[in-house]
Amino acid sequence: MASIPDVSAFMTAAQPTETKGFIMQQTMVRVKDPIKSLDFYTRVLGMRLLVAKDFPEWRFSVYFVSPRHDPLPESAEARWQHCMTTPGCIELTWNHGSEEQPGRVYNTGNADATGSRDGEPVKGGFGHIGITCPDVYAACERFKALGVEFTKSPNAGGMKGLAFIKDPDGYLVEILPHAYDRATGAMPTQPVDCNGVALDGGEGYKDNSK
Amino acid sequence: MASIPDVSAFMTAAQPTETKGFIMQQTMVRVKDPIKSLDFYTRVLGMRLLVAKDFPEWRFSVYFVSPRHDPLPESAEARWQHCMTTPGCIELTWNHGSEEQPGRVYNTGNADATGSRDGEPVKGGFGHIGITCPDVYAACERFKALGVEFTKSPNAGGMKGLAFIKDPDGYLVEILPHAYDRATGAMPTQPVDCNGVALDGGEGYKDNSK
């Protein structure tokens, strides 16, 4: 590919009939300690546990969380269907016993050495999950007050108005606005962010994409 | 944790007010060749490209795909907002030039050696994305006809009624039903699947969770 390709055809192609009803329902990540992760995804990110399922014979459990907060159906079957038809759930997988291992357990995907045998960084494919919200700066003030770890506050780095925080396993969570600022046609910004970084400060571009 | 913990409190906790409006909008994975990936996610999985954004100064591009097929807004700003308020998009990130590298480029998260410096498997955190659909067996017959690679057809392994396929970079995509079979309270099954595997065949449990 000598240059950036024209991809407009992928915006206009008709949906294949056989794929009607397909839902992008889950992103699965392994977590060391389910209580720490569930606390983070529910209390900090405002999600709810929709379904928990244990497989003691295979020594793992899975937990589906989502920002969805409408009433959960009564029966286990209906609750499963409710979850399986909710787009964008996160499936937290806990391998029993991992919570007793020292340090981080799983490679996060971002040039991280965790989980490699030689202690060298791995060129990972997974980057992050991303949460959009009405006000990135207010969300980040709250994350900061809750003791959340940042890798980029909204005014740091080259992209102003978005942030990256870490979940308990070190997975990156991007925090983005729902919409651009109408006046500027860019992400809304504020003069100073939760870390005291000014809009014209905060170093250069911090690359999370490579 | 001596035993499987009680997590029911995470199902009933009230949503923190400050997190209202939070949307689990994206899962980002890096892809080697955007045209191959966009073809797979649109033609095979039935998604649509909602937004493409190039960052030539930083030598990468991002592509947001989703099963959503209602009309796209006209303006770039409105289209961005449409995308940023759509739960469960996949953000495909292309680092310019990766398409010219030989072989696989990124570690997939599943005990894969790609991207490690010593060629040894890495204990990865990311597992898969998962698509739910009305009929897993019909979806898999179609995937098979389209030449998609399976790591588990619906009747293979210990969990009957779900499948795993691979995207062009080797990322796992789980294919699951929207709902349980009312009669059995388990995932719907058929006697023989797209790979000719009978319901009582297909080896034992194939572990994708560790």
Side-chain angles (χ1 to χ4, degrees):
Chain A
M1 236 170 277
S3 56
I4 294 175
D6 177 5
V7 295
S8 55
F10 296 109
M11 285 188 177
T12 52
Q15 182 175 28
T17 314
E18 304 94 325
T19 67
K20 299 258 178 191
F22 281 22
I23 296 168
M24 166 46 205
Q25 188 268 336
Q26 66 184 242
T27 298
M28 188 279 252
V29 289
R30 301 171 184 95
V31 299
K32 173 180 172 170
D33 184 326
I35 299 300
K36 286 186 184 156
S37 297
L38 285 167
D39 175 64
F40 178 84
Y41 283 93
T42 60
R43 185 176 53 88
V44 177
L45 293 186
M47 297 191 189
R48 182 191 206 175
L49 177 60
L50 300 186
V51 162
K53 230 168 141 58
D54 302 308
F55 299 88
E57 67 280 32
W58 296 320
R59 305 232 341 116
F60 75 91
S61 300
V62 298
Y63 306 94
F64 287 94
V65 292
S66 159
R68 189 170 176 179
H69 276 266
D70 55 325
L72 286 176
E74 285 287 321
S75 75
E77 286 75 11
R79 212 176 288 185
W80 177 256
Q81 182 172 355
H82 173 93
C83 176
M84 288 297 121
T85 51
T86 301
C89 292
I90 302 172
E91 180 185 13
L92 305 166
T93 294
W94 169 47
N95 290 303
H96 300 170
S98 61
E99 74 286 358
E100 287 163 5
Q101 292 181 242
R104 290 253 158 91
V105 173
Y106 298 112
N107 192 279
T108 62
N110 292 301
D112 172 14
T114 308
S116 70
R117 300 201 185 173
D118 58 3
E120 294 285 341
V122 175
K123 201 173 164 95
F126 174 66
H128 56 259
I129 60 163
I131 308 290
T132 58
C133 62
D135 183 337
V136 167
Y137 288 75
C140 287
E141 291 285 357
R142 177 173 167 272
F143 294 148
K144 172 109 179 158
L146 293 172
V148 172
E149 187 182 348
F150 284 80
T151 63
K152 179 196 175 310
S153 65
N155 285 349
M159 290 197 194
K160 304 301 180 187
L162 64 82
F164 278 95
I165 60 175
K166 281 189 178 181
D167 95 340
D169 289 276
Y171 298 121
L172 287 185
V173 180
E174 189 173 9
I175 311 295
L176 304 120
H178 285 169
Y180 286 144
D181 185 313
R182 274 167 194 269
T184 64
M187 294 190 194
T189 54
Q190 290 185 15
V192 178
D193 72 18
C194 61
N195 275 356
V197 179
L199 197 51
D200 59 357
E203 309 149 27
Y205 173 61
K206 183 168 163 42
D207 196 341
N208 275 320
S209 70
K210 296 296 186 286
Chain B
M1 236 169 277
S3 57
I4 294 175
D6 177 6
V7 294
S8 54
F10 297 109
M11 286 187 177
T12 52
Q15 182 176 27
T17 315
E18 304 93 327
T19 66
K20 299 259 176 188
F22 281 23
I23 296 168
M24 166 45 206
Q25 189 268 336
Q26 67 184 242
T27 297
M28 188 278 251
V29 290
R30 301 171 184 95
V31 300
K32 173 179 171 169
D33 184 326
I35 299 299
K36 286 187 184 156
S37 295
L38 286 167
D39 175 64
F40 178 83
Y41 283 93
T42 60
R43 186 177 52 87
V44 177
L45 292 186
M47 298 189 188
R48 182 191 206 175
L49 177 60
L50 300 186
V51 162
K53 228 166 144 58
D54 302 307
F55 299 88
E57 68 279 33
W58 296 320
R59 305 236 335 120
F60 76 91
S61 299
V62 299
Y63 307 94
F64 287 93
V65 293
S66 159
R68 189 170 177 180
H69 276 266
D70 55 325
L72 285 176
E74 286 288 320
S75 76
E77 287 76 11
R79 213 176 288 187
W80 177 256
Q81 182 170 356
H82 173 93
C83 176
M84 287 296 121
T85 51
T86 300
C89 291
I90 301 173
E91 180 185 13
L92 305 166
T93 295
W94 169 47
N95 289 303
H96 301 170
S98 60
E99 74 287 358
E100 287 164 5
Q101 292 181 243
R104 290 252 157 93
V105 173
Y106 299 112
N107 192 278
T108 63
N110 291 302
D112 172 13
T114 308
S116 72
R117 299 203 185 171
D118 58 2
E120 294 285 341
V122 175
K123 201 172 165 95
F126 175 67
H128 56 259
I129 61 162
I131 308 290
T132 58
C133 62
D135 183 337
V136 167
Y137 287 75
C140 288
E141 291 286 356
R142 176 173 167 273
F143 295 147
K144 173 109 179 158
L146 293 172
V148 172
E149 186 182 349
F150 284 81
T151 63
K152 179 195 175 311
S153 64
N155 286 349
M159 289 197 195
K160 306 300 179 186
L162 64 83
F164 279 95
I165 61 176
K166 281 188 178 181
D167 96 339
D169 289 275
Y171 299 121
L172 287 184
V173 181
E174 189 172 10
I175 311 295
L176 303 121
H178 285 167
Y180 286 145
D181 185 312
R182 274 167 194 269
T184 64
M187 294 189 193
T189 55
Q190 290 186 15
V192 178
D193 72 19
C194 61
N195 275 355
V197 180
L199 197 50
D200 59 357
E203 310 148 28
Y205 173 62
K206 183 169 164 43
D207 197 341
N208 275 321
S209 70
K210 297 294 185 287

